[in-house]
Amino acid sequence: MSRDDASTLDRRPAESSSALAGAVATVTALGLGLAVGEPVPALVSLLGGLTVAAGVWSLRESSHARVAVGSASVVLGTAAFTGSAWLTGDAWLLATYLGFALGATFVVVDATSGLVPDDADADPLPRMLRAASAATAVGVGVAALLTVAAYVDLLSVALGAVESGIHPLVGFATLQAGVVAGLLLLDRAVPILDSWLPSPAATTDRALDGLAAVGTDWWEIDRSIRVAVAIQLVVAFAPVAQRLFDRFLASVPVVGRVLRVALSGPLHVPLAACLLLLLGVVAADVVRRWTVRSLGDDPAITLALAAGGIVVPALALLGGTALAAVGVTVPVGDSLAGTGNYAAATAALLGVLVALTACRAVVHVLSAVAREGTLPRRTAGFATGSALLFVTTLVAAELGLAPLLVLAGAAAALLVWDTGAHASSVGAQLGRDAETTDSEFVHVTGTAAVLGVGVVAVLLVRYALFPFVVPTAAAGLSPATVIALGLVLLSVLLVTVALLSHRERPRQRERAGGEG
């Protein structure tokens, strides 16, 4: 192999062995998850984990469309984790479902694209999680605002206020405050409108100059005017002041009646429309500036990375609105029954945001551990995934999982680790596409045989030796406790054998080099 070929070699885990490790992890997670509890949350969590794994693989492609699909897949997968938490009432069952699902996810990610790639600084996964979390946080804010608006029935309140009218004194004070707010907004909105127009005509220039002359800054308004408007806003809601104002209007027969009608709401409608228009211009410019700053130097890739955080909140809000329109509502609480599905969408998006934050923390910790050399970078996913499968199997044993399935799950977790480590070793030396089927078959077969002997030994200890060695008084020990103890001893034995074999390989290589 030439030096150029070695530099461009795909050093991901060997394809056949890594595929076997991923398949064993997936089947183990599916089988044990279905055996320990309810099928729906087990399937939802596992499908979510596989969706996350597929999204991570798609993220590391060069196409922007593939990156966007990967971002959406990762966020949808984390949403499935949130859904499994919603479907499960028991905390230990939820931990079991998520443990199996995450274990399979780590293994599949390492088998396809590597959990911690060679160039971790250029990995798009942390950037994607950060961008999607920010977009999801915006979605949570929008959903929360819609929930509040639906809870207080803002539209009905506003229409009721217009129909019933307001007290003339309150209308008089709010009109003055609205005019001051309009002058302040004009000062901000006119330069924005001027920058939006590509080549304004002479009439447009004159109109903008006139609006700019009317608009003013907060500090340019006389202090006495600001104080007077503030005092009027406070006094206008006092019952004594309102009665005095009513007497004043009644003392003026014709003008007083006209002022009472005009100050009760009709003048507020065009003023509110103008204020909303100006506020929309200012808000649009703020959003534009924030978007440009957030997108950075490469808007296309930034949008692709944040696609999941945009698509999932949009689907949650639009789907919730459509369901509420046809009369289907997701119950959240009796006090929020009148919010349609916005409260449920807010809760779901908040759960997705928490799950994305947890994923960011996990990726950061694994990257830091791999960078420090505590955990081998090439086998970080296989090691973490197999450990999760093993520990979750022991937890499932305490939840009533059959002893034979406990043994099978623990053996499968060890098989996943050994097969994944072997695939990583072969891929690092010969490349991912190397044709090593025969040697991999021999290795996997040998590992499976050793694990089979270990399982048979534990069964013999439990059902043949245990009843004779342990006194009768201890016969009440649960099988799960005995199986767990046997698995711990078996794992210690296997780790010892693995360490001895790894120490022996360098000696054999030194002897072979000396003979050569």
Side-chain angles (χ1 to χ4, degrees):
M1 183 183 297
S2 64
R3 182 175 301 176
D4 293 337
D5 293 336
S7 61
T8 59
L9 188 65
D10 186 358
R11 298 186 182 278
R12 289 181 296 170
E15 190 169 2
S16 56
S17 293
S18 60
L20 177 61
V24 171
T26 303
V27 171
T28 302
L30 176 61
L32 298 183
L34 293 176
V36 76
E38 300 177 1
V40 174
L43 288 173
V44 169
S45 59
L46 182 59
L47 288 176
L50 295 179
T51 304
V52 170
V56 174
W57 172 77
S58 183
L59 272 176
R60 288 162 179 167
E61 300 294 324
S62 57
S63 171
H64 288 169
R66 298 288 293 274
V67 171
V69 171
S71 174
S73 299
V74 171
V75 180
L76 285 173
T78 55
F81 291 154
T82 306
S84 65
W86 207 327
L87 294 171
T88 307
D90 186 81
W92 284 106
L93 276 178
L94 175 61
T96 303
Y97 297 145
L98 294 181
F100 284 134
L102 290 174
T105 302
F106 286 133
V107 173
V108 174
V109 168
D110 223 0
T112 53
S113 57
L115 184 62
V116 182
D118 294 336
D119 190 3
D121 294 333
D123 185 21
L125 181 58
R127 293 177 55 199
M128 173 262 141
L129 291 174
R130 183 169 59 251
S133 298
T136 305
V138 174
V140 171
V142 173
L145 289 176
L146 293 175
T147 302
V148 173
Y151 180 75
V152 301
D153 201 1
L154 188 60
L155 182 60
S156 299
V157 171
L159 293 177
V162 172
E163 292 176 358
S164 61
I166 57 178
H167 193 274
L169 181 58
V170 175
F172 180 63
T174 52
L175 275 176
Q176 296 179 73
V179 171
V180 172
L183 296 178
L184 296 175
L185 288 174
L186 270 176
D187 187 61
R188 294 285 304 276
V190 170
I192 296 173
L193 291 174
D194 190 20
S195 65
W196 286 358
L197 297 176
S199 55
T203 55
T204 307
D205 282 338
R206 286 195 296 270
L208 291 177
D209 291 340
L211 292 175
V214 175
T216 183
D217 185 70
W218 171 258
W219 301 109
E220 294 178 357
I221 301 177
D222 190 80
R223 185 176 182 180
S224 59
I225 296 178
R226 289 180 288 172
V227 173
V229 171
I231 293 176
Q232 290 182 66
L233 285 175
V234 175
V235 174
F237 292 92
V240 176
Q242 293 179 1
R243 286 195 297 268
L244 292 175
F245 196 72
D246 289 336
R247 291 180 182 179
F248 167 73
L249 294 179
S251 64
V252 186
V254 179
V255 178
R257 185 175 301 176
V258 173
L259 288 176
R260 181 180 295 278
V261 173
L263 296 176
S264 297
L267 295 179
H268 291 74
V269 175
L271 178 61
C274 294
L275 290 177
L276 288 176
L277 180 62
L278 294 174
L279 187 61
V281 172
V282 176
D285 185 68
V286 172
V287 172
R288 182 188 65 83
R289 292 175 181 272
W290 177 80
T291 303
V292 170
R293 185 171 62 254
S294 300
L295 293 179
D297 298 332
D298 193 350
I301 189 62
T302 305
L303 279 176
L305 292 172
I310 299 172
V311 171
V312 171
L315 289 177
L317 293 175
L318 294 177
T321 303
L323 290 176
V326 298
V328 179
T329 57
V330 179
V332 177
D334 295 337
S335 61
L336 299 175
T339 61
N341 287 325
Y342 292 130
T346 303
L349 292 176
L350 188 60
V352 173
L353 181 60
V354 171
L356 286 174
T357 305
C359 289
R360 289 180 62 185
V362 169
V363 170
H364 177 74
V365 169
L366 289 177
S367 299
V369 171
R371 191 182 303 113
E372 295 295 330
T374 306
L375 187 67
R377 177 178 50 79
R378 296 187 181 277
T379 59
F382 293 120
T384 307
S386 60
L388 271 176
L389 290 175
F390 188 88
V391 173
T392 309
T393 300
L394 297 183
V395 174
E398 293 299 324
L399 296 178
L401 189 64
L404 185 59
L405 292 179
V406 175
L407 285 173
L414 295 174
L415 179 62
V416 166
W417 154 246
D418 185 78
T419 306
H422 180 71
S424 299
S425 177
V426 172
Q429 297 176 15
L430 303 178
R432 181 173 178 81
D433 299 326
E435 184 59 37
T436 58
T437 306
D438 294 337
S439 64
E440 293 176 18
F441 175 78
V442 171
H443 181 87
V444 172
T445 304
T447 303
V450 171
L451 290 174
V453 171
V455 169
V456 172
V458 173
L459 290 176
L460 288 176
V461 169
R462 168 64 184 91
Y463 294 104
L465 183 60
F466 182 75
F468 297 99
V469 175
V470 179
T472 307
L477 290 176
S478 64
T481 304
V482 179
I483 294 297
L485 178 60
L487 289 176
V488 172
L489 296 177
L490 176 62
S491 62
V492 171
L493 176 62
L494 291 175
V495 169
T496 304
V497 172
L499 290 176
L500 292 177
S501 63
H502 280 289
R503 289 179 180 177
E504 186 65 24
R505 287 177 185 174
R507 297 177 183 176
Q508 294 177 356
R509 292 177 183 173
E510 291 177 0
R511 293 173 184 173
E515 293 176 358

